[in-house]
Amino acid sequence: MPPNTTASTGPQPGKSGRKKGRKGRLFVLVLVLALVGGVAYGGYWSVSTVRASLPQTKGSITLDGLSGPVDVKRDGYGIPQIYASSDADLFMAQGYVQAQDRFYEMDVRRHMTSGRLSEMFGKGQVKNDEFLRTMGWDRVAKKEYDTKLSAATKSYLQAYAKGVNAYLAGKDGKDLSLEYAALGLTNDYKPEKWTPVDSVSWLKAMAWDLRGNMQDEIDRALMTSRLGPKQIKDLYPDYPYSRNKAIVQEGQYDELTGTFQQSGTSTGTSTSTGTSTGTSGTGTSGTGTSTGASTGTSTGTGTASTASSASSTGTALQSQLTGLYSALDDLPTAVGVNGQGIGSNSWVVSGTHTITGKPLLANDPHLQASLPSVWYQMGLHCRAVSSTCQYDVTGYTFAGMPGVVIGHNQNIAWGMTNSGVDVSDLYLEKFSGDGYLYDDKVVPFTTREETIKVAGGDSKKIVVRETNNGPLLSDRDDELVKVGKKATVGTSAPDRGDGYGIALRWTALQPGTTMDAVFALDKASDWTSFRAAAAKFDVPSQNLVYADDKNHIGYTLPGKIPTRAAGDDGSIPAPGWDPKYRWTGYIAQDALPYEYDPARGYIVTANQAVVDPDKYPYTLTTDWGYGTRSQRITDLIESKIKGGGKISTDDMRQMQLDNSSEIAKLLVPKLLKLDVKDKDVRQAQDLLEGWDYTQDADSAAAAYFNAVWRNIVKLAFGNKLPKELRVKGQCLWVDPVNTTGPVDAPEKVRECGQRDADQAQPDGGDRWFEVVRNLMDDENSDWWKTPANGNRPKADNRDQLFVRAMIDARWELTAKLGKDIDTWSWGRLHRLFLKNQTLGTDGPSILKYVLNRGPWKLGGGEGTVNATGWNAAGGYGVVWVPSMRMVVNLGDLDKSKWISLTGASGHAFSAHYTDQTDKWADGELLPWSFSDKAVDKSTSDTLVLKP
């Protein structure tokens, strides 16, 4: 185990300040823009100019292309409910209304998905555009639109685009959004017309952020520079199936029919293997054994054999992936950071266990906090449902895309959580001249030339190269090219020649039918039509939870999920030159796990394992979440229904807000038994006495425990990880890589972390809960050893390291919160800042002030149902959040509840910019009107769109 000194802490949260009102921000903005505009352009901006982009919400507007009038009814929070008499009018109106509130967000999204950010923001985005052009999301989206989507879906996309363009007609930048007015000071950018492909492309961005275990593939490979196979295995422990239940608990795969069957037992156990395409073979994967599939089924989330394979590729893989990570890290996120801790909650309870006698369904997807929120609440209603107007649906939409993604219609409700299944692989590629090696032959690259236009600068041309596995991501990073020429690999690899590249194979780079699935879900009326709709939802693969008004509940795992050859579990980058590492097919839809009306009367999904490997032959992933949240939700449900108890809508809401820390329940009893000599540290230790493990915002005990936890994982694991995984600014004196001999023989070298605070390791999520749990009984493990640092003592065993962590935590919080522990609170550390994702992060300070909001002091935390995530390597600030919360009451849809992180509007001076955030932070939900009567009662503004 490499000895390291204690690291400095990561980046600190920003300063807290009193939230300013809209009027104050507006005055400052107008003053500054007046000065800038007056000096630079000879004109002055007025308050009316700044407010010009706020939408008209009353009266009437004439829109060419409508076949009849459309009513847009907004409630007191600006949430629109649209009423039309044809599908075309409904989706045209959706496009118009979303553009009213969110066009700037939509425009940025389409420029991101098409690799054209430089057209808006200049040369600083060229590298990102190069990477995005290499992946070619918009090209895939166009193929999808041209060759895969149904005629009906295309007509809806066309109608939506027509509505967006009707809003754009006759408007210049300042009429659309404040951000365009700001961009106009340095840039002559003008928005162009919306296209149907712009909407489809957004699905690729969503799939990218929910792509599965690519980050774990990179991390495991990078670890090989400092850690051996056994140590890497320690850090990726097996999933605890016996303690944290899988989603699907009834049924199993039937070998004879090749389908998943909920009832009955398996009709036989085969020793042969096969994929959906008929490939056969045998073998084991990691620590699990094959049970009838090509790849076997791993019981863990990373294996020793994986680590050994990673080690064999040595410096080549390690160094190339460092560069790849750097490129990935710079990409703007679409819906959230992609990491081990992030996830979502969704669960459904049958009427047997509810007060209403009908199902209740809850959902809260956990995504990176953004302003405006990624979600846009909306209702789409046909005045009379018929063959020409088929929709009566409400829920959460994506601005820029027609339809409702999560919500309910008149018959069913559905929620989603990320399944985490492995649908992407990285491949090492051996270059040879103008081609690459595959099966001992040189195959020419597939190439295309792309031109990147740059605002305020010259255009840049790039050449995109692809192998039979996918685009060469390594072409987009100069460091990767240099490293590839010097890389070393195992003896079985081909001669390096000019070096190795890294290609990406990913299901989302193939045209699919997810857009068809959205519309099919919106009008599904029962379990059969819901499953048929879900089968079209190929990328990203999601856990779909279901309930209907006939008192049925269900779960299904859709998605295009690849099968791999024996011995390849997809957990590390594979040699692209070897045909045996090619994907062998895809799991058939009727072979994917599902559950319908289980006997227990509820279903919980929270990114845990989908199914027990003993019941399923295919490897879905080696990197599940570890089930901490899912098991806590299960326990809460069981405690409510015990003895015949019934669950209410408000009970579901309160479950969403559960702040209990599962890792605290394991560690606090140990921490309280430790003999701490320093009286100030003992004073902090006493905070844990009698603590109920609840991480409320005002809890001093939660603040101290989380500081102790952060220091435990830093001392035990973080300081032993390679620099590529550690947080930027954390510098350590360490042994040089690949040295041997006595510990004191080589001179130490200073290495500084390279990752942003929200992506560094150890992040402290529930994988690390499991790592520590598994090591608790091994009190003398090398992991518990850490050197002294200044007057801080060294540790040679578990208890000594815990004492050291308690000391470090005490003085860390003293520095952050003051010496008086009576003033400590978790919320002072754990704060949420909402930032506009473009000018609010990289713009001038005045624009950041105008566009951003916060902070909010939050409860909750890592591995907690109320998942206000933070990264233990980087600090305590909130990294991701429940991006929305909803509870659907199938007994009375008008008694359903919902809320979003921010508000309906993307306009900084709209009353609806962040008007839901305070209530969201307090755990409140808003009324969710659905029936005509309820909507009319809640309507504040009505706008009529006329043909």
Side-chain angles (χ1 to χ4, degrees):
M1 192 68 61
N4 294 313
T5 58
T6 301
S8 61
T9 58
Q12 308 302 308
K15 293 181 179 179
S16 177
R18 182 182 302 172
K19 287 181 280 185
K20 305 295 193 297
R22 288 184 293 121
K23 290 183 179 179
R25 293 176 190 268
L26 182 58
F27 175 78
V28 173
L29 177 69
V30 171
L31 177 62
V32 171
L33 292 181
L35 291 172
V36 173
V39 172
Y41 301 98
Y44 290 88
W45 292 17
S46 66
V47 172
S48 61
T49 300
V50 175
R51 287 178 170 162
S53 58
L54 297 181
Q56 178 182 340
T57 59
K58 294 181 179 180
S60 63
I61 298 174
T62 299
L63 295 188
D64 290 340
L66 288 175
S67 62
V70 177
D71 296 326
V72 182
K73 302 179 180 182
R74 298 178 192 261
D75 67 10
Y77 288 89
I79 300 170
Q81 305 286 337
I82 298 177
Y83 290 83
S85 298
S86 71
D87 290 338
D89 285 356
L90 189 65
F91 294 116
M92 181 178 176
Q94 184 182 15
Y96 185 88
V97 170
Q98 286 191 342
Q100 279 188 306
D101 282 331
R102 299 280 191 95
F103 181 74
Y104 176 75
E105 175 192 15
M106 293 163 57
D107 200 17
V108 171
R109 284 179 175 177
R110 68 168 165 176
H111 279 79
M112 179 181 71
T113 58
S114 59
R116 296 168 53 212
L117 289 168
S118 300
E119 294 179 19
M120 295 185 75
F121 304 109
K123 63 182 180 180
Q125 292 297 321
V126 169
K127 287 289 186 183
N128 283 334
D129 283 346
E130 290 178 2
F131 199 93
L132 292 161
R133 292 285 184 97
T134 298
M135 285 194 286
W137 292 346
D138 61 331
R139 295 170 58 85
V140 179
K142 188 173 190 313
K143 289 181 183 177
E144 205 159 283
Y145 181 82
D146 290 341
T147 66
K148 288 288 187 179
L149 299 182
S150 70
T153 293
K154 289 182 181 180
S155 71
Y156 301 154
L157 289 164
Q158 292 161 4
Y160 181 90
K162 186 188 296 184
V164 175
N165 293 327
Y167 177 71
L168 295 180
K171 294 182 175 67
D172 60 22
K174 71 178 188 301
D175 298 322
L176 297 172
S177 177
L178 165 65
E179 289 91 339
Y180 289 115
L183 285 173
L185 297 176
T186 58
N187 187 349
D188 60 359
Y189 172 79
K190 296 291 187 292
E192 60 192 34
K193 285 188 175 182
W194 194 264
T195 72
V197 174
D198 291 335
S199 296
V200 180
S201 296
W202 173 239
L203 290 171
K204 303 305 174 185
M206 182 177 71
W208 176 252
D209 282 353
L210 301 173
R211 61 192 176 273
N213 75 336
M214 185 189 298
Q215 191 61 63
D216 290 306
E217 285 190 44
I218 293 173
D219 286 358
R220 273 190 289 264
L222 291 174
M223 285 179 183
T224 60
S225 68
R226 289 281 172 194
L227 304 176
K230 170 63 167 62
Q231 293 164 331
I232 295 174
K233 178 65 174 69
D234 286 345
L235 302 186
Y236 286 88
D238 293 345
Y239 183 90
Y241 287 96
S242 61
R243 187 175 69 252
N244 297 341
K245 301 298 184 185
I247 297 171
V248 175
Q249 299 175 37
E250 296 183 8
Q252 61 186 34
Y253 182 81
D254 188 301
E255 297 279 358
L256 293 183
T257 64
T259 62
F260 192 89
Q261 300 288 335
Q262 183 170 353
S263 61
T265 59
S266 176
T267 55
T269 301
S270 171
T271 56
S272 64
T273 61
T275 70
S276 59
T277 58
T279 302
S280 63
T282 60
T284 62
S285 173
T287 58
T289 58
S290 174
T291 57
S294 61
T295 60
T297 303
S298 172
T299 60
T301 56
T303 66
S305 61
T306 289
S308 179
S309 298
S311 182
S312 71
T313 61
T315 308
L317 186 56
Q318 165 192 344
S319 302
Q320 294 211 39
L321 290 174
T322 301
L324 174 58
Y325 176 82
S326 176
L328 296 177
D329 194 44
D330 285 339
L331 282 184
T333 54
V335 297
V337 289
N338 183 275
Q340 180 65 41
I342 199 167
S344 304
N345 303 322
S346 187
W347 67 94
V348 61
V349 181
S350 75
T352 306
H353 300 308
T354 68
I355 289 175
T356 65
K358 291 291 180 70
L360 294 170
L361 186 149
N363 196 190
D364 56 292
H366 309 154
L367 303 172
Q368 184 179 36
S370 61
L371 182 60
S373 167
V374 68
W375 300 111
Y376 184 86
Q377 295 153 285
M378 183 175 245
L380 302 172
H381 308 278
C382 289
R383 293 189 177 96
V385 176
S386 66
S387 59
T388 57
C389 197
Q390 304 172 71
Y391 296 90
D392 188 14
V393 61
T394 180
Y396 295 85
T397 73
F398 289 132
M401 199 177 89
V404 169
V405 178
I406 295 174
H408 72 81
N409 59 31
Q410 65 271 43
N411 300 119
I412 75 165
W414 67 97
M416 294 185 189
T417 63
N418 193 27
S419 69
V421 300
D422 189 359
V423 296
S424 64
D425 282 334
L426 296 173
Y427 286 87
L428 282 177
E429 302 287 3
K430 169 66 176 73
F431 298 158
S432 180
D434 293 327
Y436 60 96
L437 191 66
Y438 178 72
D439 197 16
D440 295 325
K441 299 180 182 66
V442 176
V443 181
F445 294 111
T446 300
T447 62
R448 66 178 186 273
E449 187 176 88
E450 298 269 356
T451 301
I452 298 172
K453 297 179 181 179
V454 183
D458 296 331
S459 297
K460 180 177 181 179
K461 291 186 177 182
I462 64 169
V463 174
V464 175
R465 300 189 296 176
E466 295 185 359
T467 73
N468 60 355
N469 289 311
L472 277 169
L473 303 186
S474 51
D475 279 357
R476 302 282 72 89
D477 191 285
D478 293 339
E479 181 185 357
L480 294 185
V481 176
K482 295 175 184 176
V483 170
K485 292 180 179 180
K486 301 177 181 179
T488 57
V489 293
T491 56
S492 62
D495 180 75
R496 67 173 171 242
D498 291 331
Y500 295 98
I502 298 174
L504 170 68
R505 185 163 192 188
W506 178 37
T507 54
L509 297 183
Q510 304 166 30
T513 56
T514 301
M515 199 71 244
D516 284 341
V518 171
F519 296 112
L521 286 171
D522 286 353
K523 63 182 180 181
S525 59
D526 55 23
W527 175 246
T528 300
S529 54
F530 171 78
R531 283 262 285 168
K536 300 176 185 292
F537 205 107
D538 44 19
V539 178
S541 177
Q542 298 287 286
N543 294 314
L544 266 62
V545 172
Y546 166 92
D548 66 31
D549 58 355
K550 300 296 190 294
N551 212 4
H552 299 294
I553 65 172
Y555 160 84
T556 191
L557 174 70
K560 193 170 187 177
I561 303 172
T563 56
R564 298 171 176 86
D568 176 18
D569 61 7
S571 62
I572 62 166
W577 50 82
D578 190 338
K580 75 178 182 181
Y581 287 94
R582 294 278 292 172
W583 289 354
T584 57
Y586 298 92
I587 302 175
Q589 288 295 310
D590 58 3
L592 291 170
Y594 72 92
E595 226 175 30
Y596 183 61
D597 288 338
R600 64 186 179 280
Y602 62 86
I603 301 170
V604 175
T605 75
N607 316 109
Q608 78 271 40
V610 168
V611 64
D612 192 303
D614 292 338
K615 300 179 179 180
Y616 199 66
Y618 296 105
T619 297
L620 298 172
T621 185
T622 61
D623 293 292
W624 301 114
Y626 281 78
T628 304
R629 283 179 288 107
S630 62
Q631 195 57 43
R632 175 61 179 171
I633 296 167
T634 297
D635 292 344
L636 290 170
I637 293 172
E638 287 286 350
S639 68
K640 278 288 183 182
I641 66 178
K642 186 178 180 180
K646 303 294 183 181
I647 293 176
S648 68
T649 300
D650 197 59
D651 289 331
M652 300 283 274
R653 178 189 69 85
Q654 291 185 44
M655 290 179 194
Q656 289 178 323
L657 303 177
D658 182 78
N659 285 333
S660 178
S661 170
E662 297 304 300
I663 190 61
K665 293 175 184 177
L666 174 68
L667 293 183
V668 166
K670 300 286 187 185
L671 297 176
L672 287 172
K673 293 178 181 179
L674 297 176
D675 181 18
V676 178
K677 301 189 184 325
D678 186 303
K679 64 180 179 60
D680 291 312
V681 180
R682 284 202 308 273
Q683 185 186 34
Q685 183 185 33
D686 289 342
L687 289 172
L688 304 178
E689 192 74 53
W691 179 44
D692 64 358
Y693 314 121
T694 299
Q695 301 171 97
D696 293 333
D698 61 359
S699 171
Y704 182 59
F705 173 77
N706 283 319
V708 173
W709 171 243
R710 165 171 148 83
N711 280 278
I712 286 175
V713 294
K714 181 175 70 172
L715 293 169
F717 312 109
N719 292 353
K720 302 175 177 81
L721 295 177
K723 63 182 184 295
E724 293 87 357
L725 275 67
R726 298 200 314 270
V727 71
K728 289 178 182 176
Q730 182 197 52
C731 298
L732 303 171
W733 288 97
V734 299
D735 292 331
V737 173
N738 297 328
T739 57
T740 59
V743 172
D744 60 350
E747 289 190 15
K748 304 286 187 183
V749 295
R750 191 169 186 261
E751 289 187 347
C752 296
Q754 298 179 353
R755 284 205 177 166
D756 288 341
D758 62 359
Q759 291 282 289
Q761 292 294 338
D763 61 21
D766 70 350
R767 171 161 70 90
W768 297 98
F769 293 6
E770 198 66 19
V771 169
V772 169
R773 184 187 296 274
N774 288 349
L775 290 168
M776 286 295 285
D777 292 334
D778 188 1
E779 298 182 25
N780 296 307
S781 167
D782 284 348
W783 289 112
W784 301 128
K785 292 176 171 58
T786 194
N789 183 35
N791 63 354
R792 306 288 171 83
K794 72 172 184 176
D796 291 318
N797 58 46
R798 182 198 68 193
D799 289 353
Q800 289 176 2
L801 185 136
F802 284 5
V803 169
R804 167 71 178 276
M806 294 173 74
I807 294 170
D808 289 357
R810 182 12 161 155
W811 299 116
E812 181 185 0
L813 294 199
T814 297
K816 292 179 182 294
L817 304 178
K819 189 172 182 180
D820 184 359
I821 65 173
D822 291 336
T823 67
W824 291 2
S825 70
W826 177 224
R828 288 180 63 195
L829 292 171
H830 194 53
R831 298 183 299 166
L832 170 66
F833 292 83
L834 292 175
K835 297 180 180 180
N836 177 286
Q837 292 301 289
T838 54
L839 300 181
T841 56
D842 295 324
S845 296
I846 179 59
L847 284 178
K848 292 180 181 179
Y849 170 79
V850 168
L851 297 172
N852 298 341
R853 299 291 185 270
W856 285 265
K857 298 176 181 178
L858 301 184
E862 276 295 326
T864 303
V865 180
N866 184 19
T868 56
W870 57 286
N871 186 301
Y876 303 97
V878 176
V879 177
W880 56 79
V881 294
S883 56
M884 62 80 156
R885 298 186 183 104
M886 75 175 195
V887 179
V888 182
N889 183 334
L890 274 297
D892 185 344
L893 292 171
D894 287 330
K895 292 183 178 178
S896 300
K897 304 285 186 179
W898 63 350
I899 201 161
S900 185
L901 172 64
T902 60
S905 180
H907 300 288
F909 296 105
S910 167
H912 306 306
Y913 191 49
T914 55
D915 59 339
Q916 298 186 47
T917 310
D918 285 344
K919 291 184 179 296
W920 172 92
D922 290 338
E924 298 180 40
L925 297 177
L926 304 177
W928 187 354
S929 300
F930 180 68
S931 68
D932 292 350
K933 181 178 179 181
V935 169
D936 287 341
K937 186 177 180 180
S938 64
T939 295
S940 295
D941 294 352
T942 299
L943 174 68
V944 179
L945 304 177
K946 296 181 177 180

